[in-house]
Amino acid sequence: MRLGSGTFAACCVAIEVLGVAIFLRGFFPVPVRSSSRTEHRAEPPAPEPSTGASSNWTKLPPPLFSKVVVVLIDALRDDFVFGSKGVKFMPYTTYLVEKGASHSFVAEAKPPTVTMPRIKALMTGSLPGFGDVVRNLNSPALLEDNVIRQAKAAGKRIIFYGDETWVKLFPKHFVEYDGTTSFFVSDYTEVDDNVTRHLEKVLTREDWDVLILHYLGLDHIGHLSGPDSPLIGHKLREMDSVLMKIHMALLSKEREALLPGLLVLCGDHGMSESGSHGASSMEEVNTALVLISSAFERKPGDIRHPKHVQQTDLAATLAIGLGLPIPKNSVGRLLFPVVEGKPMREQLRFLHLNTVQLSKLLQENVPLYEKDPGFEQFKMSEKLHGNWIKLYLEENSSEVLLNLGTKVLRQYLNALQTLSLSLSRQVAQYDIYSMAVGTTLVLEVLALLLLSVPKALGPAAELDMPLSSPLFSLLFYLTLLVLSAVHVVVCTSTESACYFCSVSWLAAGGAMLLMSALLCALVSALPKTVVGVKHVGKSPAPSSSRWSELDLLILLGTTGHVLSLGASSFIEEEHQTWYFLVSTLCLALCQEVYRNHFLSSDGDPRGGLHTEPGPEGATPVGAKGCALLEDDRTRAAASAFKRLGGTDQRMVLASPWAVLCCCRLLRALNQTGVQGAHRPDLGHWLTSSDHKAALSVLAALSLLAVFLLVQRRCSPMSKVALALGLLGVYCYRAAIGNVMSPWQRGNSDISKGIVEARFVYVFVLGILFTGTKDLLRSQVSAAGVPARTVGLWEIHSGLVLLAALLLRPHNLPVLVSSLLVQTLMAKCVWKPLNHGVAEVTVMHYWFGQAFFYFQGNSNNIATVDVSAGFVGLEHYVEVPAAFLTTFATYVGPILWASHLVNYLSSESSRRKGLPEGQRWVSVCAVRPCSL
């Protein structure tokens, strides 16, 4: 069957997408969910277990607290409350933790540690998936069973002030609310004042049962200046005064109420050492959780150290405290210290409700749940609990009753722990079978594509694909039979849920048919490819290529990097791979440069180019001429090196070493990855308040160097705009207090820098507009080539100016080094050594990736500098903020891609200006020759 290249490519892409989708479905399994369809109807609670005489307690226990106030401080790391900063900046909270009626915990937040998934975990008790990272940008309504929905259904009046993410997750659930955007990280004062301004009135009112306050200022300060900023202390003092005000108001209300109130202090996630969050470092996952209530009796001298719990445990605790059903998807456990002061029967009742809910969730998500240790412990606990109820109903008090109750209590706590761990593991377990199916489809299509090259190249190409023969081959039916048998065995013996086993047999059979057909197509296409290679090998035509050491390094380095992505540790520390590759590349370029230097100095008569004159004296265009030029490429490069002047030769010899030293110095600027991110680096030293003068000098010199490196190919007007724009960058950093300025004294003049940033944006847009105008003019003007070259470079310079504005001041040397390396490589390596287009492109890619990590980025979303998206913005605007954040994150690869376009364009223009004979020499030297 003959297929056009377009049809063949479309089919391959469709199958690749299918394979990747199946793989990702196995790699990111859906979290455990209840299959109950009665989420919007009240279910009767589980009755109290009994043996013999029936119990009369079949309803939910009454609430433990009259009013509940949840104070969620965004990015409240555990050491901000329990560490030295808490002692220094939060004295009232520290007093409550150490001596007051409270229970303190270190709540572990599972990744992804971003706001919306963590709010879901707090209110539902479930573990959100990584897909919620994307939903965090525009949170949809939460449809899962949660504490807020249960409270509203029970008639509780809920008031909310703070992050508008709550309003989006729980629409029409609050009787009163005032939301503020959480994405405008430049604001860390008004965003909290907007919450606190409501407290005076709402704390004196009686028309509410639950009050939720979400403060954002601490998180915004972290994004702007990190956890060691002096602003952190001021914000913690502010939060401490807010807690004192709320606690005093609750205590005053308890005099008239029948039940005590509950004040919950918690954080949604922590804060990394760089001030961001999103990953799984200890600083990001450990958050403070403090429960404050007069119901928690405390004896004099009772010292309680914060216990480690899961963040999901708060949902079950709040539900029990408010007299509500525990959310169906909750994997959390009741925080037992909250109810340990209650009578034994009530304690057992609370624990029984929690274990029943977890056991139901286990039954709906684990096929062999009966063999789970937690389920076995639950059944044993329930049996012992029934015996205890029988004794309790027969006699009110006895030593036997107390001992049995204590034993049942321990049994329930162990069952809760085991059940919660079993359910939590379901989220972390990979669906190996689905991943294997997806990987097989992807690899089969990839192999078929490789075997089809170069036949599939070109729009008019057609391929003779063996698509009909598999239907009549024995291999096809044997493969289909084996795959079907494997599918039956896996789906009948697996102990965990498998997505590919849950699909219909028709869909699974179609996937097996597709895999079998692709395998047979590969087997049929392989002999033809081998025969074709043998015919080429017997051809008397000379070889058209010869692999150099640099070519082998590029091939092996790129292949090795792709293979390294198969291990999670290599992904976490990918920066080490790129640091190694660019360093090795510099050494290989050194070897090539010195080899050409010595070849050009030995006086070898064969040092010139070997060419065969054509009919008119020009270099031949045929395959033989190109082959000879390709075989003599080293001699040609040596001859070109010999024609350079003495100063130029020394520059060429020193350039690879200069690039190597530059890359090595940049590694000390920003520690990244997972293993070494906590280590001190030059960036932390520069950003500390004690070294502000050094940072200011470094920033000023870096901006001057940027101007000198970029302005050389700009038009006069663009040079002026670039100079004024870079001056505006420094003014912006001085305005927000990052660097010192001679026209500012003290911090009285510090602002948000909105005017200064917009001043720079004007020049960025002006330069980009000028470059675009030159590009358009090159299409219709006679002077097209020079105008195109200038236009492309001006667009590049506009991107450089935007990068200088968005990058942190201590990262400006990264921008300067990037421009310096580009200049050295273009002038002293690629042009003198006549590197091919493919080699130059791969080198640009390598350096772009390396500079991505030199900037301090990683594959960890916690290293994304969100504050860059709000430079010059007064309010949160989604599109500009997303664009600026993306550009600031990938500024290294973007600038190297822009430079690649400029370099290839200038080389193309230079070749067009050569005489006809030399043009063919240049073409064969710069790009690979084809037969």
Side-chain angles (χ1 to χ4, degrees), residues 96 101-103 243 247 261-265 290-294 296:
L96 291 176
S102 66
H103 293 293
L243 284 169
H247 188 223
L262 174 66
L263 173 59
V264 179
L265 170 65
V290 183
L291 305 179
I292 306 166
S293 176
S294 58
F296 307 146

Side-chain angles (χ1 to χ4, degrees), residues 710-778:
V710 174
Q711 57 85 31
R712 66 186 189 277
R713 290 168 57 184
C714 292
S715 63
M717 184 157 307
S718 294
K719 290 181 181 180
V720 175
L722 180 64
L724 293 176
L726 292 172
L727 179 62
V729 170
Y730 192 89
C731 293
Y732 165 73
R733 289 300 172 183
I736 64 175
N738 291 148
V739 298
M740 301 172 64
S741 175
W743 56 84
Q744 284 183 346
R745 295 184 179 180
N747 295 330
S748 58
D749 296 332
I750 290 178
S751 67
K752 295 181 180 179
I754 294 176
V755 175
E756 292 82 356
R758 291 179 177 178
F759 177 79
V760 179
Y761 283 138
V762 170
F763 291 109
V764 170
L765 294 175
I767 295 174
L768 293 176
F769 175 78
T770 304
T772 305
K773 183 184 68 174
D774 290 337
L775 281 179
L776 295 176
R777 185 162 57 89
S778 67

Side-chain angles (χ1 to χ4, degrees), residues 452-499:
S452 303
V453 176
K455 295 179 181 179
L457 298 178
E462 289 187 348
L463 296 93
D464 187 10
M465 293 300 300
L467 297 178
S468 57
S469 57
L471 298 177
F472 305 99
S473 65
L474 180 61
L475 177 62
F476 172 76
Y477 295 109
L478 288 177
T479 305
L480 182 59
L481 182 61
V482 170
L483 292 178
S484 301
V486 170
H487 182 73
V488 171
V489 171
V490 170
C491 294
T492 54
S493 63
T494 183
E495 297 184 0
S496 60
C498 176
Y499 167 73

Side-chain angles (χ1 to χ4, degrees), residues 824-848:
L824 290 175
M825 295 294 290
K827 288 183 173 295
C828 303
V829 177
W830 294 325
K831 287 183 181 179
L833 299 182
N834 285 327
H835 282 115
V837 172
E839 292 176 342
V840 171
T841 302
V842 173
M843 289 185 205
H844 272 83
Y845 174 71
W846 282 20
F847 277 109

Side-chain angles (χ1 to χ4, degrees), residues 418-439:
T418 309
L419 284 170
S420 180
L421 288 175
S422 298
L423 289 168
S424 299
R425 289 195 198 102
Q426 297 299 313
V427 181
Q429 283 184 351
Y430 297 117
D431 185 352
I432 302 298
Y433 183 45
S434 299
M435 293 170 61
V437 172
T439 303

Side-chain angles (χ1 to χ4, degrees), residues 873-896:
L873 299 182
E874 285 184 312
H875 306 285
Y876 173 65
V877 186
E878 186 173 351
V879 175
F883 169 76
L884 294 176
T885 303
T886 303
F887 181 86
T889 304
Y890 296 100
V891 66
I894 289 173
L895 290 184
W896 277 91

